[in-house]
Amino acid sequence: MSANTQDLRTQLEQLQESLAVRQSTTHFAHTGVATMAALLLAGAAGKLFYDSLRTPLLAWGVAALSLALLVHAFRRYVLGRRVLSDELKRFQAMLELRSQLRLDDPAAMLPR
């Protein structure tokens, strides 16, 4: 095995390690949970506004919390998209390395 092939295999192992844990899915999961919680709190705030016309202080607090959760969800979504873009670039690089090393070529795996 040549030194160049060894370097390519090392790069491939590093890319596989970095892609083993998908960070973008964690960001998107946080986005979904925060959005659902924000929608639930928005509904509760609406009900509180409807029920308490004289003392809407609690309703404003719940509405503010709902808005804060929506902002958090949006930030996590943007971060998740950024991380996903990076992961896709690394995945393409890994596929190119695999083709250079002929790991997916069945004819290269046959004994000579």
Side-chain angles (χ1 to χ4, degrees):
M1 203 180 318
S2 69
N4 187 28
T5 305
Q6 187 62 30
D7 291 341
L8 290 177
R9 285 195 182 274
T10 304
Q11 287 177 358
L12 179 65
E13 289 174 10
Q14 289 172 349
L15 280 172
Q16 286 174 337
E17 269 183 38
S18 71
L19 289 170
V21 177
R22 298 274 314 263
Q23 295 175 351
S24 61
T25 55
T26 304
H27 292 299
F28 291 136
H30 281 221
T31 298
V33 170
T35 301
M36 291 305 294
L39 291 174
L40 286 170
L41 287 174
K47 178 68 172 151
L48 286 171
F49 275 119
Y50 180 76
D51 287 345
S52 61
L53 293 176
R54 288 179 293 208
T55 57
L57 186 60
L58 180 63
W60 282 111
V62 174
L65 184 60
S66 174
L67 182 63
L69 276 173
L70 276 177
V71 168
H72 173 71
F74 181 73
R75 290 181 63 211
R76 291 297 285 232
Y77 176 75
V78 170
L79 186 60
R81 291 287 299 188
R82 195 174 301 144
V83 170
L84 178 63
S85 173
D86 181 53
E87 287 172 349
L88 290 175
K89 288 176 187 173
R90 287 184 288 156
F91 183 73
Q92 286 299 326
M94 184 187 72
L95 290 179
E96 289 175 15
L97 279 174
R98 287 184 67 86
S99 69
Q100 286 177 2
L101 292 169
R102 298 182 64 189
L103 294 177
D104 297 326
D105 185 11
M109 297 301 191
L110 293 174
R112 295 176 197 224

